[in-house]
């Protein structure tokens, strides 16, 4: 208490004359302090050497893990751009759209080639969790590309072929694609197919809507069959989105069909007669 009162009564001039604190110089920020093993006992030296090796191993692991994560993020971003380009097919010519997508696809393959250097041997499964977001987004992009070009669902074999390069006359896959990666990748297709369907409805393209409906019905049947054999928690979470997209496309297709039937049931002569009557009334007025 007395110290607090004394500090409060101290004048500002006296406070300003206090000597500033000094700190001892040490190693640069981010650098571990240097250890002097010469003064340690042999047993302690052995323990410290072992732990330093552990530290270096962990540092290398975390650095490699971060490089895989960065590549996966870049692949995800480029794959999304591929999807955006493909959805413009209702506005631009297919040749122009597919040429743009081909260019972006080559850029994605360069990123996969970079990531494959970090995923050799056992590292392929060790860092699969960090790489799988980019792989799934890529499968979604090439799956939509395959659907728009050939009106079919891309297979896992075709995905692996697209990720294979020729090296010394031998086909080498850039990364490994698990069954779960493939299933989760194609299960994201309904949302993009739904967007393509909506754009096609605006253009009055009934054939495109029918194609989207048949594709999602086939996809739902396949996903249901897989889940009946084996349980995938992440795949089950995407089933409601699939059902919702399928329901929207069904309603849109049924509405277009009903309108076409109603228009066909109307006699064109009645429409022409009504138009003539309207014009006559306008003239007499």
């Amino acid at each position: 208490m007395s110290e607090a009162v004394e500090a409060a009564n101290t004048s500002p001039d006296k406070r300003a004359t206090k000597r500033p604190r000094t700190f001892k110089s040490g190693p640069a920020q981010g650098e571990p302090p240097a250890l002097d093993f010469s003064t340690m006992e042999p047993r302690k030296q052995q323990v410290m050497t072992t732990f330093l090796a552990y530290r270096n191993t962990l540092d290398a692991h975390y650095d490699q893990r971060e490089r895989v994560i960065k590549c996966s993020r870049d692949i995800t971003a480029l794959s999304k751009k591929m999807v955006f380009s493909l959805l413009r097919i209702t506005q631009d010519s297919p040749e122009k759209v597919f040429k743009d997508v081909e260019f972006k696809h080559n850029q994605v393959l360069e990123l996969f080639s970079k990531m494959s250097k970090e995923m050799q041997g056992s590292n392929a499964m060790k860092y699969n969790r960090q790489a799988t977001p980019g792989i799934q987004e890529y499968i979604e992009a090439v799956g939509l590309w395959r659907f728009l070009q050939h009106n079919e669902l891309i297979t896992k074999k075709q995905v692996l072929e697209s990720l294979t390069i020729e090296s010394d006359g031998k086909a080498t896959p850039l990364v490994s694609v698990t069954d779960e990666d493939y299933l989760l990748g194609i299960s994201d297709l309904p949302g993009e197919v739904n967007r393509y369907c909506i754009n096609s409805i605006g253009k009055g393209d009934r054939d495109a809507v029918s194609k989207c409906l048949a594709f999602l019905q086939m996809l739902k049947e396949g996903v249901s069959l897989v889940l009946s054999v084996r349980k995938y928690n992440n795949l089950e979470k995407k089933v409601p989105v699939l059902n919702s997209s399928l329901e929207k496309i069904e309603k849109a297709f049924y509405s277009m069909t009903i309108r076409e039937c109603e228009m066909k049931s109307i006699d064109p002569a009645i429409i022409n007669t009504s138009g003539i009557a309207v014009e006559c009334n306008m003239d007499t007025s």
Side-chain angles (χ1 to χ4, degrees), residues 94-121:
E95 293 78 11
K96 181 180 179 181
V97 170
F98 292 147
K99 183 178 180 180
D100 182 35
V101 173
E102 182 69 30
F103 176 75
K104 290 183 174 63
H105 182 255
N106 292 332
Q107 292 180 323
V108 174
L109 291 182
E110 292 179 3
L111 291 173
F112 270 116
S113 178
K114 182 179 178 182
M115 188 170 68
S116 66
K117 298 177 182 178
E118 310 292 341
M119 301 183 66
Q120 298 295 326

Side-chain angles (χ1 to χ4, degrees), residues 16-133:
T17 58
K18 286 185 177 180
R19 187 174 60 181
R21 295 181 180 180
T22 58
F23 298 92
K24 295 181 180 180
S25 60
Q29 186 176 6
E31 296 182 1
L35 298 176
D36 186 9
F37 292 108
S38 60
T39 59
M40 296 182 183
E41 299 177 357
R43 182 175 179 81
K44 191 173 182 180
Q45 289 182 9
Q46 183 180 3
V47 172
M48 293 302 298
T49 303
T50 302
F51 274 93
L52 284 177
Y54 291 159
R55 184 189 67 184
N56 295 334
T57 301
L58 286 174
D59 288 344
H61 159 68
Y62 289 128
D63 291 342
Q64 189 172 4
R65 180 175 176 271
E66 287 299 321
R67 289 193 294 269
V68 173
I69 291 175
K70 186 180 184 304
C71 286
S72 180
R73 289 174 178 171
D74 294 340
I75 291 170
T76 299
L78 265 177
S79 298
K80 288 183 181 294
K81 291 181 180 179
M82 287 178 61
V83 172
F84 296 151
S85 297
L86 289 168
L87 291 177
R88 291 201 303 267
I89 197 170
T90 56
Q91 303 172 3
D92 298 333
S93 63
E95 293 78 11
K96 181 180 179 181
V97 170
F98 292 147
K99 183 178 180 180
D100 182 35
V101 173
E102 182 69 30
F103 176 75
K104 290 183 174 63
H105 182 255
N106 292 332
Q107 292 180 323
V108 174
L109 291 182
E110 292 179 3
L111 291 173
F112 270 116
S113 178
K114 182 179 178 182
M115 188 170 68
S116 66
K117 298 177 182 178
E118 310 292 341
M119 301 183 66
Q120 298 295 326
S122 61
N123 289 337
M125 297 307 298
K126 183 178 180 180
Y127 299 113
N128 177 260
R129 184 176 179 182
Q130 286 72 40
T132 188

Side-chain angles (χ1 to χ4, degrees), residues 162-175:
S162 67
L163 290 173
T164 301
I165 59 173
E166 294 290 336
S167 178
D168 299 332
K170 183 179 179 182
T172 305
L174 294 175
V175 294

Side-chain angles (χ1 to χ4, degrees), residues 92-263:
D92 298 333
S93 63
E95 293 78 11
K96 181 180 179 181
V97 170
F98 292 147
K99 183 178 180 180
D100 182 35
V101 173
E102 182 69 30
F103 176 75
K104 290 183 174 63
H105 182 255
N106 292 332
Q107 292 180 323
V108 174
L109 291 182
E110 292 179 3
L111 291 173
F112 270 116
S113 178
K114 182 179 178 182
M115 188 170 68
S116 66
K117 298 177 182 178
E118 310 292 341
M119 301 183 66
Q120 298 295 326
S122 61
N123 289 337
M125 297 307 298
K126 183 178 180 180
Y127 299 113
N128 177 260
R129 184 176 179 182
Q130 286 72 40
T132 188
I135 295 174
Q136 291 178 23
E137 195 69 33
Y138 170 78
I139 294 174
E140 178 185 358
V142 295
L144 182 62
W145 190 8
R146 185 79 183 182
F147 165 68
L148 295 177
Q149 276 189 316
H150 306 285
N151 190 25
E152 63 182 17
L153 178 66
I154 191 169
T155 62
K156 182 182 175 182
K157 181 180 178 181
Q158 291 168 343
V159 173
L160 291 173
E161 289 175 353
S162 67
L163 290 173
T164 301
I165 59 173
E166 294 290 336
S167 178
D168 299 332
K170 183 179 179 182
T172 305
L174 294 175
V175 294
S176 60
V177 179
T178 64
D179 292 340
E180 188 172 5
D181 290 338
Y182 169 72
L183 291 172
L184 294 177
I186 62 173
S187 64
D188 289 330
L189 277 174
E192 308 306 332
V193 173
N194 188 29
R195 291 183 180 89
Y196 166 69
C197 180
I198 292 173
N199 295 337
S200 300
I201 292 173
K203 295 291 184 178
D205 191 350
R206 185 176 182 276
D207 293 336
V209 179
S210 176
K211 181 174 69 173
C212 294
L213 177 59
F215 178 79
L216 288 190
Q217 287 174 339
M218 176 193 64
L219 183 60
K220 180 182 178 181
E221 182 180 354
V223 171
S224 300
L225 181 61
V226 170
L227 290 176
S228 66
V229 177
R230 183 175 176 181
K231 185 176 182 180
Y232 291 95
N233 293 329
N234 292 330
L235 183 60
E236 289 179 351
K237 295 177 182 178
K238 298 186 178 184
V239 171
V241 179
L242 170 59
N243 293 334
S244 176
S245 299
L246 180 58
E247 183 180 357
K248 291 177 182 178
I249 295 178
E250 285 177 344
K251 290 181 178 180
F253 181 73
Y254 295 156
S255 298
M256 293 182 69
T257 304
I258 291 173
R259 289 172 186 170
E260 288 183 359
C261 293
E262 290 176 347
M263 293 300 296

